[in-house]
Amino acid sequence: MRPAARYALALLLLAPHTRSLAGQSPLSLAEALDRADRAGYANRIAAGETRAQDGQALAPFRGILPTVRLESGYVRTTDPLSAFGFTLRQRRVTPAAFAPASLNDPRAIGNLTGGLILEQPLFNADAWAGRRATANAAAARRAAERWTRSTTSVEVVRAYWGAVLATEQVRALEAASRSAQSHVRQAEALVRQGMATGSDALLASVKAGEVEVQLLNAGNQAAAARRGLATLMGAPSDTGFVLPEALPGPESIGPAASELTADSGSLATRSDVEAARHARVAAEADATRAKALFLPRLNGFGRLDWNDPDTPFGGRSAWTLGVMLSWSPFAGASEMAELRAAGGRRESAQARADAAVAEAGLDLARARDALATAVARLAIAERSVAQAHEAHRIVGRKYDGGLTTITELFDAAAVETASVLGYASARYDALVAIADLRRAAGLDVGSAARWPGDSAVEGGE
C-alpha cells in the first residue's frame, strides 16, 4: 500500500464520526456525565435494585399495620344443622322452624354471606425488628447506588478524555507523518545531489512507514474510544457527537489539582462506606429479629358479618371482637436455625464494614499519591515537548549540512513525536487522577466537569 493510501485509510477510520458535524457544539464532559447518569446501564441496574429493595422494606409492616379485607360467598344446602344455622343467622327463625319435621328434613336454603374483617397486630416484636433491618438494608442499597453512579462518572471521565486523547494523538501522528514524508523527500533530494547514499532514502521510507502504522493504530483507538464513551452513555450506536479538539492544558489542570488537594473530603462521605455501615446495622437488627421469634405474639381482630338469602351484605349485621395470643416456644428448631444464620450474617456485615473503612483509606491514599505523581509528570512532559522540538530542529539543520545521518534525524523526530504524545498522555492521566481522587474522597465526581470547561477546551497542543 502506498504511503498516501495508508494515510487516507487512517483518515477514513474517523470519517463516520466527523461527517456532517460542522457547526455542532462539542459534547461537554458535563453533558456526557448527565447522559450516563440518566441512561448508563450500570446506573439503571442499580436504580432498579434500589426500587426493589425499597419494596422489600415494606414487607415487615404486615406484622405492624392493620389488615382490612372483605369476604363474600354463597352456600345452598339441605344439611339440617347448616340449614337451621342459616335461618338463625338470617334472623328468620319462627316457632314453625322448631317443628321436628322441619328440623329433620329441611327444605334447601341458600345463604349469601358478607364480611368486613379488621386484623390489628398488637405485639409482634420480630416485625418491629425486621422493619429496622429492612429500612437499613434499603438505605444501604441507596448508598450503593450512589457509589455505582460515582464509579460510572469516573469511567465516563476516563472514556471522555480518552476519546479526546485518542483524537489528539491522531492529529499529532498526522503531523509526524507529514514531517516523515518531508524527511523522505529531503533524503531523496540529497541522494540525487550526491550528498547522501541510497541507504538514507531507504531508511527514511522505512521510518516513515513506522509512523504511518502508528497513525493507523491511533485511528483505530480513536474510533474504539468513541464507541466506548457512547456505550457508557447508554447509546452504543450514537457516536456522531463532536468532541473538543484537545485536552485541557496545565493552566486548567493545575488549579483543579491544587484545590482538590487542599479539600480532599473524608471517608465518612464515601457512599460505599455508608452502604457498609447501613448493612451492618441491618444485620444487627436482623439478629434481634431472629431472637424475637421466641417471643409470643398478640393480635386483635374484629369483624362485621351479614347473612341474607339473596342480597350481598343484606340483612342485619353481627359484630365480633377478639384477641389472640400465640406462642411457639419450639417449632422444630427452625428458630434456632434462623438465630444462628442471623448471627453469622451479623458477623460478616461487621467485618465488611471494617473492611470498607480500611479499603477506603487505602484507596484514598493511593489516589492522592497518583494525583501528585500525575501533576509532577505533567510538568516534566511539558518541558520535554519544547526540548524535543528544539533538538529535532537542530538535528534537521545538521542533516541539511551533511553533518549527521538520516537515522539520527528520524530518531530526533521520533523523540519529538513521543514527547508530544507523552504530553497528551500526562494531561489525560492528571485529569483521570483528579476524578479518581474526587471519588476516593467521597466528593461529587460530576463537579469535575466544571473546571475543564463545558465546550472545546484550551491548552492542548
Side-chain angles (χ1 to χ4, degrees):
M1 183 181 293
R2 295 178 61 83
R6 286 195 289 265
Y7 182 77
L9 178 59
L11 296 178
L12 286 173
L13 290 170
L14 291 177
H17 312 295
T18 57
R19 268 196 307 267
S20 302
L21 297 178
Q24 288 190 19
S25 298
L27 174 72
S28 69
L29 177 56
E31 291 169 342
L33 288 167
D34 182 64
R35 290 189 192 181
D37 187 64
R38 289 183 288 104
Y41 299 119
N43 291 355
R44 288 163 54 194
I45 292 171
E49 291 175 348
T50 297
R51 286 192 292 273
Q53 189 63 56
D54 285 341
Q56 289 294 321
L58 299 176
F61 280 112
R62 174 186 287 267
I64 299 173
L65 297 179
T67 300
V68 179
R69 69 177 187 274
L70 291 173
E71 295 179 351
S72 183
Y74 180 79
V75 176
R76 189 171 180 82
T77 183
T78 58
D79 175 71
L81 186 60
S82 298
F84 187 80
F86 288 163
T87 302
L88 187 61
R89 287 174 178 168
Q90 294 172 8
R91 309 285 195 340
R92 295 174 180 270
V93 176
T94 62
F98 291 94
S102 298
L103 292 173
N104 292 328
D105 190 18
R107 291 181 299 175
I109 183 173
N111 187 59
L112 187 61
T113 62
L116 174 63
I117 300 93
L118 171 68
E119 296 175 347
Q120 174 61 64
L122 300 177
F123 179 76
N124 290 307
D126 60 317
W128 286 99
R131 169 57 184 158
R132 182 166 178 260
T134 56
N136 277 277
R141 183 60 255 174
R142 288 191 292 272
E145 180 188 349
R146 291 194 296 273
W147 183 249
T148 297
R149 292 182 180 277
S150 179
T151 302
T152 299
S153 294
V154 173
E155 294 302 316
V156 171
V157 170
R158 289 180 182 274
Y160 180 86
W161 293 126
V164 177
L165 170 65
T167 302
E168 187 173 338
Q169 287 175 333
V170 168
R171 292 172 54 233
L173 288 169
E174 287 173 354
S177 180
R178 289 192 296 269
S179 177
Q181 293 301 324
S182 175
H183 290 332
V184 170
R185 291 190 296 271
Q186 183 181 9
E188 291 173 345
L190 291 175
V191 169
R192 288 193 298 270
Q193 296 170 13
M195 298 177 63
T197 65
S199 62
D200 280 359
L202 295 175
L203 285 173
S205 295
V206 171
K207 294 293 185 180
E210 292 175 355
V211 175
E212 290 167 9
V213 170
Q214 288 182 282
L215 178 56
L216 288 172
N217 289 334
N220 283 326
Q221 292 172 4
R226 296 181 72 91
R227 289 193 295 269
L229 176 58
T231 299
L232 280 172
M233 293 189 299
S237 60
D238 182 13
T239 58
F241 44 79
V242 179
L243 290 173
E245 295 183 357
L247 295 164
E251 66 277 6
S252 296
I253 296 174
S258 300
E259 179 183 358
L260 181 59
T261 303
D263 181 18
S264 56
S266 66
L267 298 183
T269 60
R270 282 178 56 128
S271 299
D272 60 334
V273 174
E274 182 184 355
R277 183 170 62 250
H278 281 297
R280 174 183 57 78
V281 176
E284 291 173 350
D286 187 59
T288 302
R289 178 198 61 80
K291 293 178 181 178
L293 293 174
F294 291 93
L295 298 176
R297 294 181 174 87
L298 183 65
N299 298 288
F301 66 92
R303 61 183 299 149
L304 285 174
D305 292 290
W306 290 266
N307 291 271
D308 194 83
D310 49 25
T311 304
F313 298 92
R316 294 172 59 186
S317 63
W319 58 266
T320 305
L321 295 176
V323 176
M324 178 69 70
L325 177 68
S326 62
W327 184 32
S328 300
F330 184 78
S334 61
E335 292 92 344
M336 293 297 299
E338 183 66 20
L339 185 62
R340 290 190 179 184
R345 291 192 293 268
R346 178 182 57 191
E347 294 176 6
S348 177
Q350 179 63 61
R352 289 178 184 274
D354 294 341
V357 174
E359 291 172 0
L362 179 61
D363 185 31
L364 181 57
R366 286 175 175 172
R368 285 173 174 162
D369 292 342
L371 178 58
T373 301
V375 171
R377 181 193 170 201
L378 176 58
I380 296 171
E382 187 178 13
R383 294 194 301 269
S384 297
V385 170
Q387 294 167 351
H389 178 71
E390 180 63 15
H392 185 198
R393 186 188 66 80
I394 294 172
V395 173
R397 294 184 63 181
K398 291 172 64 178
Y399 184 74
D400 290 341
L403 300 178
T404 188
T405 65
I406 191 66
T407 300
E408 185 176 351
L409 177 61
F410 267 94
D411 286 344
V415 169
E416 181 182 24
T417 300
S419 67
V420 172
L421 297 177
Y423 178 51
S425 296
R427 282 144 55 213
Y428 167 78
D429 290 342
L431 292 167
V432 172
I434 290 172
D436 277 334
L437 182 51
R438 294 194 70 86
R439 177 196 56 81
L443 301 174
D444 180 19
V445 177
S447 64
R450 290 196 292 266
W451 48 259
D454 287 339
S455 59
V457 290
E458 74 287 348
E461 295 189 2

